[in-house]
Amino acid sequence: MNIQTTLQISLKTSTQWWQYQNHAVEILFLSRNEEADQSWLVRPRRSHDPSGLLFLFRLTAEDRTMKLIILNDYDQASEWAAKYIRNKILHFKPGPNKFFTLGLPTGSTPLGCYKKLIEYYKNGEISFEFVKTFNMDEYVGLPRDHPESYHSFMWNNFFKHIDIRAENTHILDGNAADLQAECSSFEEKIAEAGGIELFVGGIGPDGHIAFNEPGSSLVSRTRVKTLAKDTIMANARFFDGDLSKVPTMALTVGVGTVMDAKEVMILITGAHKAFALYKAIEEGVNHMWTVSAFQQHPQTVFVCDEDATLELRVKTVKYFKGMMHVHNRLVETPLSQQK
Amino acid sequence: MPSNKSVSDAPISQFTNCRILREHTLQREDLWVREGKILDPEKLFFDEQGYADQQVDCEASIIAPGFIDVQINGGYGVDFSQPSEDVTAGVSLVAKKILEHGVTSFCPTLVTSPPAVYHKVLPQIKVHDGGPHGAGFLGFHLEGPFISLEKKGAHPERYLRTFRSGGIEDLMEAYGSLDNVAMVTLAPELPRSQSVVRELCQRGITVSLGHSVANLSQAEDAVQHGASFITHLFNAMLPFHHRDPGIVGLLTSDQIPAGRTVFYGMIADGIHTNPAALRIAHRAHPSGLVLVTDAITAMGLPPGHHTLGQQVIEIQGLHAYVTGLPLPYSRRWLINDEFVS
């Protein structure tokens, strides 16, 4: 048994026996502190080895596996995601010389998550003073103060309610004179900030991440994209149903840009996203379903509600639901916050 | 400090936890102010990368624009229709007092008076902005003397006038100077009134229809010539009749030129108009409703005798009477706040 081997834990019985590769191991104690990841001191229970051997397993909650977090409904999924982000930031302990870099999405899916984060800020649980944000995309040619621009979205739904400074927010400028230069400069800004710690995103019904429509290269970088007809039609509802008013181009981070992040969290709620989720995690990596690229990312979390799992295999759903008690540790209120 | 100073160095205040009256609703938004001007916080954030120097917790209060009173005859012992030597002092006193009730601009109103009064009073004050010292002066509202005999209300009959030539001479003869005048109330059925309406509108003076027995077409005619206001709807005009709605019919008239709105003043004290009538008017034409006080000298003072131009008013309880005349010539003398809810 190796130290730092990843471990798939499943609770066998109500006793304290845990299973690891056909060995029953006994949890001797659980140590949790703010600095270290959760670690268990375990001893294999082998009848032919009465002295026992003690092994220290550094079982990180941050397994090198995809985590599929399944909550009952949209509100619970939003809350879980918000708590995860909160805990990540707190754990990071950002400061004036150490900013937490966060990638952010727009759309109806993350609204609940933003609301919860605002609530945590208002409760004093978290501050965004030392957080840098990078948004995924923005329309081309839409005035910045247009109610449907992503600048307006972020201001109204997030920035104006929290204590983030404007110079720490970064949203692509769809009205830049040289769009390609704008995209390159965005990539540079991410690099200057030290890369992204956690990139939060959503998924389109066609499996796209940001505006990386089907067919986008899985190693793409920030660039100008022409929007697919489906996307334009889906967006028409925000422009009084008038197709001619919907922007036809957008600036977007590439799949490769998001893959560079240390960790990725994808929010997926609603039955209309179920097929895309299936394609993303149960089928192969495919540029027609660009979210599938994250199967090759070392640390991805998919947060979804029951409806989004409707196209998954029962086995997959049961497996990950069975892991919830472990995954829920990731969203517990940190000791420092507990009164 | 709190911005990249691309626009201004001045400190920024953010009023939080408040409800802002905007676009006919109470919105839960923060109000951002710098140097007396309201800021667009989104612009401040993205363009200037600014944030607030100080935050003020409004404790869920309402923030609303200041009230504008376009019909107020005086108050606190001041009667605007008196030919005083120092009109400025009287207007300033009232201006300061009404500030406490949320009125930040007003039109001192003169009731029907002899020409000497107008000639004396009107030139004394220029239009000026308000401030902490008192509400802003928007210009005089001249209610009369070109009004109908039958609907004179509490105006003195002997000073009513008609249009002799229908031109600027009539106005100059009656009023003297029109420089500081914001609004004139007249009866459109008076002969030769159309040209007068046009003349006043050309000078940027709002023409208001009131104290009149005009029928609907006469009223519509006046609107087409430029009239845009109705003085205290329902009072001192023919009542609504289903075959000829009269001036009241302007609220739903289809003869109003495109792009124009007819506004109507309402005295919402429960005495001048029945609240049900007020609601009918509001439902028919909500965007035209303007609350006015039509307050008199006695406002803010205890019962007794006061003047209203050339008349004497007696205050009894909550009612005011022109001496010797009973209701319906009474006027409410209490102050603003009760109207607004």
Side-chain angles (χ1 to χ4, degrees):
Chain A
M1 299 182 204
N2 301 314
I3 295 177
Q4 294 196 354
T5 307
T6 58
L7 195 99
Q8 300 287 354
I9 294 179
S10 59
L11 186 63
K12 273 199 76 101
T13 63
S14 58
T15 64
Q16 303 273 336
W17 295 106
W18 298 73
Q19 173 106 356
Y20 173 66
Q21 290 182 357
N22 301 319
H23 302 280
V25 299
E26 179 185 24
I27 306 282
L28 289 178
F29 68 82
L30 199 70
S31 107
R32 268 176 73 213
N33 57 56
E34 293 299 299
E35 296 297 340
D37 295 4
Q38 299 164 18
S39 44
W40 286 264
L41 193 63
V42 302
R43 178 180 71 176
R45 190 190 195 211
R46 294 181 225 172
S47 52
H48 64 276
D49 180 9
S51 69
L53 285 170
L54 290 175
F55 293 89
L56 178 67
F57 285 89
R58 182 132 243 212
L59 298 168
T60 65
E62 298 177 20
D63 287 344
R64 298 267 145 184
T65 70
M66 179 200 79
K67 297 191 232 332
L68 181 65
I69 312 292
I70 304 171
L71 284 311
N72 288 339
D73 57 29
Y74 175 78
D75 289 335
Q76 286 189 5
S78 300
E79 190 174 359
W80 200 100
K83 283 182 174 170
Y84 188 82
I85 297 172
R86 175 198 68 189
N87 285 7
K88 279 279 144 177
I89 297 177
L90 290 173
H91 188 66
F92 185 85
K93 290 198 173 47
N97 298 316
K98 189 186 171 203
F99 277 77
F100 186 89
T101 46
L102 190 57
L104 292 178
T106 53
S108 47
T109 308
L111 279 177
C113 181
Y114 284 137
K115 282 201 175 76
K116 276 292 177 186
L117 283 172
I118 293 166
E119 197 185 297
Y120 302 149
Y121 160 70
K122 290 201 155 96
N123 287 344
E125 291 171 44
I126 188 175
S127 161
F128 291 89
E129 199 187 346
F130 301 116
V131 172
K132 282 193 177 154
T133 65
F134 289 86
N135 265 68
M136 291 186 132
D137 43 22
E138 174 61 288
Y139 289 114
V140 166
L142 203 58
R144 198 202 58 218
D145 55 4
H146 189 284
E148 292 304 324
S149 83
Y150 288 166
H151 280 80
S152 293
F153 179 96
M154 290 309 297
W155 168 254
N156 283 310
N157 293 304
F158 197 46
F159 295 152
K160 81 175 174 194
H161 304 278
I162 56 173
D163 64 342
I164 195 163
R165 295 284 160 87
E167 57 262 26
N168 293 329
T169 66
H170 300 93
I171 308 180
L172 285 155
D173 178 8
N175 293 302
D178 183 344
L179 294 174
Q180 199 42 57
E182 171 67 14
C183 293
S184 314
S185 122
F186 197 74
E187 289 274 347
E188 275 161 29
K189 284 183 201 139
I190 294 177
E192 268 161 32
I196 306 225
E197 284 290 321
L198 172 61
F199 218 127
V200 183
I203 188 175
D206 59 359
H208 71 240
I209 173 112
F211 276 125
N212 293 290
E213 311 272 314
S216 294
S217 159
L218 298 181
V219 293
S220 50
R221 311 302 306 185
T222 306
R223 67 214 186 285
V224 187
K225 275 293 277 187
T226 309
L227 301 182
K229 186 130 199 266
D230 275 351
T231 309
I232 295 180
M233 303 222 331
N235 286 346
R237 72 185 194 269
F238 300 123
F239 293 88
D240 300 326
D242 185 348
L243 285 179
S244 65
K245 289 194 185 142
V246 186
T248 52
M249 295 207 295
L251 304 183
T252 177
V253 293
V255 183
T257 318
V258 184
M259 283 288 285
D260 280 352
K262 193 155 157 235
E263 185 168 359
V264 176
M265 179 164 86
I266 309 285
L267 303 174
I268 311 175
T269 53
H272 57 300
K273 303 281 173 84
F275 192 74
L277 178 60
Y278 151 68
K279 281 288 186 185
I281 65 175
E282 283 189 342
E283 296 272 313
V285 173
N286 189 316
H287 64 171
M288 292 316 238
W289 301 88
T290 45
V291 179
S292 62
F294 298 104
Q295 291 178 24
Q296 296 194 309
H297 189 286
Q299 216 161 296
T300 308
V301 183
F302 285 86
V303 181
C304 55
D305 62 358
E306 288 274 354
D307 284 347
T309 63
L310 288 174
E311 294 281 352
L312 297 180
R313 291 198 161 185
V314 175
K315 184 171 155 185
T316 311
V317 174
K318 279 196 167 174
Y319 176 75
F320 284 106
K321 276 192 170 169
M323 305 277 284
M324 279 309 289
H325 66 282
V326 175
H327 293 151
N328 276 336
R329 292 217 175 94
L330 298 168
V331 293
E332 276 169 2
T333 313
L335 291 171
S336 59
Q337 295 288 332
Q338 284 171 11
K339 303 276 182 288
Chain B
M1 187 241 129
S3 78
N4 59 13
K5 296 184 191 167
S6 56
V7 174
S8 164
D9 274 354
I12 298 169
S13 302
Q14 179 187 5
F15 293 87
T16 62
N17 194 14
C18 56
R19 291 171 288 161
I20 299 186
L21 179 62
R22 196 165 176 243
E23 289 163 13
H24 306 288
T25 59
L26 284 174
Q27 301 178 351
R28 267 225 167 258
E29 290 284 351
D30 292 346
L31 185 74
W32 298 66
V33 180
R34 175 169 58 193
E35 288 182 304
K37 288 205 154 52
I38 299 175
L39 296 177
D40 175 353
E42 188 176 339
K43 237 178 154 157
L44 176 71
F45 186 81
F46 287 120
D47 280 343
E48 295 184 52
Q49 320 226 295
Y51 53 92
D53 283 85
Q54 59 149 353
Q55 294 194 335
V56 179
D57 186 341
C58 297
E59 295 165 13
S61 308
I62 297 175
I63 297 185
F67 300 135
I68 304 175
D69 196 351
V70 297
Q71 189 164 7
I72 167 171
N73 305 290
Y76 308 97
V78 175
D79 180 354
F80 295 133
S81 305
Q82 287 301 331
S84 139
E85 289 299 331
D86 189 2
V87 175
T88 313
V91 170
S92 301
L93 174 67
V94 175
K96 177 110 192 145
K97 289 287 200 180
I98 59 179
L99 209 54
E100 290 166 30
H101 299 287
V103 179
T104 53
S105 313
F106 69 120
C107 295
T109 307
L110 270 69
V111 296
T112 298
S113 301
V117 171
Y118 296 112
H119 283 72
K120 182 152 188 161
V121 171
L122 296 187
Q124 288 195 40
I125 318 184
K126 305 262 172 298
V127 170
H128 62 261
D129 283 340
H133 56 273
F137 172 72
L138 295 173
F140 288 102
H141 175 178
L142 304 179
E143 193 185 4
F146 300 103
I147 55 177
S148 148
L149 179 60
E150 295 101 316
K151 291 291 177 187
K152 66 183 192 299
H155 292 230
E157 181 176 334
R158 58 194 181 286
Y159 295 117
L160 300 183
R161 292 169 78 98
T162 55
F163 299 114
R164 284 200 208 110
S165 59
I168 189 69
E169 309 78 37
D170 287 313
L171 299 167
M172 283 307 162
E173 221 181 291
Y175 299 131
S177 147
L178 286 174
D179 290 340
N180 305 316
V181 174
M183 202 187 240
V184 171
T185 293
L186 50 79
E189 73 274 17
L190 293 176
R192 292 170 283 277
S193 69
Q194 295 93 333
S195 44
V196 173
V197 171
R198 271 203 308 276
E199 184 70 50
L200 288 168
C201 290
Q202 263 161 24
R203 287 157 181 264
I205 296 174
T206 304
V207 173
S208 182
L209 309 178
H211 287 276
S212 155
V213 293
N215 59 32
L216 180 56
S217 26
Q218 286 165 332
E220 282 166 343
D221 197 42
V223 170
Q224 272 154 10
H225 285 285
S228 57
F229 205 85
I230 303 173
T231 303
H232 45 56
L233 187 77
F234 296 126
N235 301 111
M237 58 185 65
L238 292 176
F240 173 86
H241 187 282
H242 53 282
R243 278 196 284 278
D244 187 349
I247 294 178
V248 179
L250 286 176
L251 266 58
T252 47
S253 164
D254 58 358
Q255 299 300 313
I256 314 291
R260 293 215 4 232
T261 307
V262 173
F263 295 93
Y264 54 99
M266 277 281 231
I267 305 171
D269 60 358
I271 296 175
H272 280 80
T273 45
N274 186 300
L278 208 166
R279 282 191 289 274
I280 288 179
H282 177 255
R283 279 186 216 179
H285 183 29
S287 52
L289 191 146
V290 174
L291 289 176
V292 300
T293 57
D294 208 6
I296 55 172
T297 316
M299 172 171 71
L301 299 177
H305 283 89
H306 301 275
T307 60
L308 176 63
Q310 309 297 310
Q311 312 268 47
V312 178
I313 305 284
E314 188 185 331
I315 307 295
Q316 290 172 13
L318 289 183
H319 295 263
Y321 301 91
V322 176
T323 328
L325 293 173
L327 288 167
Y329 301 117
S330 66
R331 307 227 168 173
R332 194 92 185 271
W333 60 285
L334 287 176
I335 44 194
N336 245 353
D337 308 340
E338 302 175 33
F339 294 178
V340 179
S341 51

